[in-house]
Amino acid sequence: MARLLPGTRALRTLEAAARHLNFTRAADELGLTPAAVSHRIKEIEDQLGIVLFTRTSRTIRLTEAGAVLFEAATDALDLLGRAVSRAHKTARGTSLLKVTLDAQFATKWLMRRVDDFRKHQPGVELRFDIASELRDFDLDDVDVGIRFGAGKYPGLCAHRLFDNVIVPVCSPALLRAGPPLKEPRDLFHHTLAHIEWARQGVTWPNWRMWMAAAGVDDFDDSRTLVFGTSSDVVQAALDGNAVALADFAMVANDLSEGRLVRPFELGMKVAPEFAYFLVYPKSVADEPRIVAFREWLLNEVTKTPT
């Protein structure tokens, strides 16, 4: 019977083809050609003596037997992926802590403080997974994460780090070169940048919203620069190309060290339920390396200007 079982490569091909019901899309996902996907499926069918897909000139459909194997392949690959993740974590021991977080939080906040953690916790080695997508603690080789969201993470401990206050910032060179910025309407003479972000009915503050809060009701936002990431917005300000709306906590060091200035004090809070959170599985909450990182991080948060 063991000789009849398809290997992992075959199961991945079957799962992708059955999920997409399209060999071309499955091939794109797997890095194969459609012909290679079709060949692998035919190999599985010949090996098992079962027809898994019915094919026409334009479509493919799962047979009843194919649907049974698709469900089993999905479960088997998921179970194997979780086991591999646990095996990786077991093999690397308890002195290594892998942290997943986005690029902005890493470069603008955490990396500046890592030496302090290493000084206080020499027995814990930090490694970072810089990614915008969310990781799965059961499937990915990570231990803790720093995520921006509403703090509702089933099965995870979540510690709120700090509120997000959005403020206008620019480079000192831009401020010196003019035109002068004495009142909000003076911003009409500058390039303005912000990010475009909305989730669960909440919109990240943009220039139209900031102008309304400043009492400017005739602002035309058609000429603003809109970026997909906060790091790009901050970089535009650092380069002297724009006045940007940025998260204060993420630019606090740039402000204190003079790379950026605040032309106006008015700030806008993101909806209170959204913030950065430290998250990790409840099952590992008492592990010494998790406790050490959590206590250090939360203490560092209290030192961040607000």
Side-chain angles (χ1 to χ4, degrees):
M1 178 62 70
R3 290 188 302 234
L4 294 177
L5 294 178
T8 304
R9 185 180 69 172
L11 289 179
R12 290 191 183 282
T13 305
L14 168 62
E15 189 277 335
R19 175 162 38 85
H20 290 293
L21 289 178
N22 184 292
F23 286 172
T24 299
R25 288 199 290 272
D28 289 341
E29 179 181 312
L30 297 169
L32 301 172
T33 65
V37 170
S38 180
H39 179 70
R40 284 189 183 179
I41 296 299
K42 186 65 167 59
E43 282 186 331
I44 300 171
E45 291 178 325
D46 290 344
Q47 178 186 2
L48 299 178
I50 298 172
V51 176
L52 303 176
F53 295 89
T54 56
R55 302 161 175 83
T56 68
S57 59
R58 295 186 177 181
T59 63
I60 62 171
R61 290 187 298 110
L62 279 169
T63 63
E64 287 189 26
V68 170
L69 282 182
F70 169 47
E71 181 179 358
T74 301
D75 292 342
L77 291 171
D78 179 72
L79 181 63
L80 182 60
R82 294 173 190 276
V84 169
S85 176
R86 291 197 304 273
H88 274 299
K89 292 174 183 178
T90 300
R92 58 178 164 82
T94 59
S95 63
L96 177 64
L97 185 72
K98 297 191 74 172
V99 184
T100 179
L101 69 168
D102 65 44
Q104 174 173 258
F105 196 97
T107 59
K108 289 297 183 182
W109 199 88
L110 186 60
M111 294 306 184
R112 297 169 179 267
R113 296 164 169 82
V114 165
D115 285 344
D116 181 77
F117 176 81
R118 289 171 174 157
K119 180 176 68 175
H120 287 88
Q121 298 292 337
V124 180
E125 179 186 355
L126 291 181
R127 289 189 186 173
F128 301 101
D129 169 66
I130 310 299
S132 56
E133 63 269 18
L134 297 181
R135 299 304 195 194
D136 186 325
F137 290 108
D138 288 334
L139 294 175
D140 298 309
D141 186 22
V142 295
D143 300 302
V144 301
I146 296 172
R147 297 176 175 175
F148 182 81
K152 298 176 181 178
Y153 304 109
L156 302 182
C157 296
H159 304 272
R160 188 186 186 92
L161 299 184
F162 35 64
D163 294 329
N164 300 88
V165 180
I166 311 306
V167 299
V169 296
C170 65
S171 72
L174 182 145
L175 202 59
R176 289 193 298 268
L181 290 173
K182 296 182 178 179
E183 60 179 50
R185 284 186 177 275
D186 293 335
L187 288 164
F188 289 11
H189 305 296
H190 289 269
T191 300
L192 305 180
H194 62 85
I195 67 167
E196 187 174 84
W197 182 93
R199 190 179 299 170
Q200 299 177 25
V202 174
T203 300
W204 192 270
N206 54 40
W207 276 112
R208 178 181 53 78
M209 296 163 64
W210 188 91
M211 287 291 184
V216 179
D217 56 9
D218 58 345
F219 174 64
D220 178 10
D221 65 357
S222 62
R223 296 177 61 188
T224 57
L225 294 177
V226 180
F227 291 92
T229 66
S230 297
S231 56
D232 289 335
V233 172
V234 172
Q235 193 60 51
L238 289 168
D239 292 342
N241 296 326
V243 182
L245 285 178
D247 185 344
F248 180 81
M250 295 298 104
V251 295
N253 286 306
D254 293 311
L255 290 167
S256 65
E257 295 167 10
R259 288 183 294 274
L260 292 174
V261 294
R262 290 176 66 178
F264 302 102
E265 289 299 311
L266 176 64
M268 299 189 68
K269 285 189 175 183
V270 180
E273 64 269 29
F274 282 89
Y276 277 106
F277 289 86
L278 169 68
V279 296
Y280 49 85
K282 293 179 180 178
S283 59
V284 299
D286 295 328
E287 286 191 9
R289 57 184 173 158
I290 304 290
V291 172
F293 184 74
R294 177 181 68 225
E295 291 181 351
W296 170 82
L297 183 68
L298 295 179
N299 182 60
E300 286 298 307
V301 165
T302 66
K303 304 175 186 177
T304 300
T306 58

